[in-house]
Amino acid sequence: MTTVNEIGLDPALNPPVLAKMIPSDSDVLIGVIGASHSAILVLRNLYNLASSTHARLRIKWFTRHALRYAEERDGWIFRDNTGLKGDVAAWARENLEEERLPSSDVGKYLEKLPTSRERENEVYMQHLTKCTHVVQAVGFRPNKIPRLTKDGKSLDVSYNNRSAEFMDEDGAKVPGLYGAGIAWPERVVDPEGNVEYAVGLLKFMNYLKRVVPEWGAC
């Protein structure tokens, strides 16, 4: 079985670094997992290499769902945190949609492989094992919280994604312990009742501006 080398998301999003990581003088088959904004950026970066300096590069794109786009509504944005935006959305519409990919230049280098939770392992075993590299563009998970104790006993905590506070197993606030950022985003509900987690530096800062005064009042 071919050893599949993992390319981290950060270098995959950096075209000059990515170009140095991938051999240009041998066959390379890179699997990209995901359909987020980051995943589409990675696909575009890889296509740009394949169509220029890395002619022996090919891409397998594994995705669970159809492409999702942010949409302007009356005073708000539908899929503001999960939908494709800007030039990435435009590139995806032009090149990756079902009716566009076969005739797009991108289709010369990229194969789309729809997956589902039921068939995911089957698809991966058939196709991912043939890849030389893989990029997992499926988001991040927070590191495990360090062990906390109270009065010499371990403390199990849960995060309140509306106040940025942590609660103990009895539902009481843990004094002085807060979290915000990519590991601890705010839970938001749009006017249609859809739930998302607000990601992005500006959204993190707005979250903090809202909740920090409440911390001081406790």
Side-chain angles (χ1 to χ4, degrees):
M1 182 184 296
T2 303
T3 300
V4 182
N5 300 297
E6 184 164 2
I7 299 175
L9 183 56
D10 285 342
L13 292 171
N14 188 322
V17 173
L18 183 61
K20 293 179 180 179
M21 294 182 68
I22 301 172
S24 59
D25 58 353
S26 59
D27 293 337
V28 176
L29 181 58
I30 301 183
V32 178
I33 302 173
S36 65
H37 193 89
S38 295
I40 305 309
L41 276 172
V42 172
L43 293 177
R44 188 172 68 172
N45 289 344
L46 291 172
Y47 160 70
N48 288 338
L49 290 177
S51 60
S52 58
T53 57
H54 291 61
R56 298 172 70 177
L57 165 63
R58 295 296 181 269
I59 309 152
K60 286 183 180 286
W61 174 32
F62 301 86
T63 175
R64 282 181 176 175
H65 57 76
L67 292 168
R68 298 168 178 168
Y69 301 92
E71 300 175 9
E72 292 281 352
R73 296 290 172 86
D74 186 15
W76 61 284
I77 301 175
F78 178 56
R79 298 197 189 101
D80 187 28
N81 297 285
T82 59
L84 304 178
K85 298 179 180 178
D87 61 341
V88 172
W91 186 82
R93 282 194 175 97
E94 183 177 343
N95 297 287
L96 299 180
E97 289 291 353
E98 295 289 345
E99 68 276 10
R100 292 296 187 93
L101 183 59
S103 59
S104 166
D105 190 60
V106 175
K108 298 176 182 178
Y109 309 94
L110 181 147
E111 178 186 4
K112 180 179 178 181
L113 295 164
T115 65
S116 64
R117 293 186 185 278
E118 294 76 19
R119 294 191 62 247
E120 198 166 50
N121 289 338
E122 176 187 342
V123 173
Y124 286 155
M125 286 300 298
Q126 182 179 353
H127 295 277
L128 188 58
T129 53
K130 298 176 182 177
C131 294
T132 57
H133 299 74
V134 63
V135 180
Q136 298 190 64
V138 292
F140 299 91
R141 293 180 180 176
N143 293 333
K144 187 177 180 179
I145 298 175
R147 181 174 179 266
L148 303 173
T149 61
K150 181 179 181 181
D151 300 327
K153 297 181 179 179
S154 293
L155 189 66
D156 292 326
V157 298
S158 58
Y159 182 65
N160 183 327
N161 48 30
R162 291 296 299 161
S163 66
E165 299 167 318
F166 286 85
M167 322 299 287
D168 66 19
E169 54 266 41
D170 297 321
K173 299 175 184 177
V174 179
L177 185 62
Y178 309 102
I182 188 64
W184 310 109
E186 180 183 16
R187 180 180 184 272
V188 294
V189 182
D190 70 24
E192 294 182 2
N194 301 298
V195 176
E196 291 186 335
Y197 289 90
V199 294
L201 180 59
L202 179 59
K203 292 172 184 176
F204 298 152
M205 295 305 297
N206 289 336
Y207 183 26
L208 286 172
K209 287 178 181 178
R210 181 177 66 79
V211 298
V212 167
E214 297 178 14
W215 299 346
C218 296

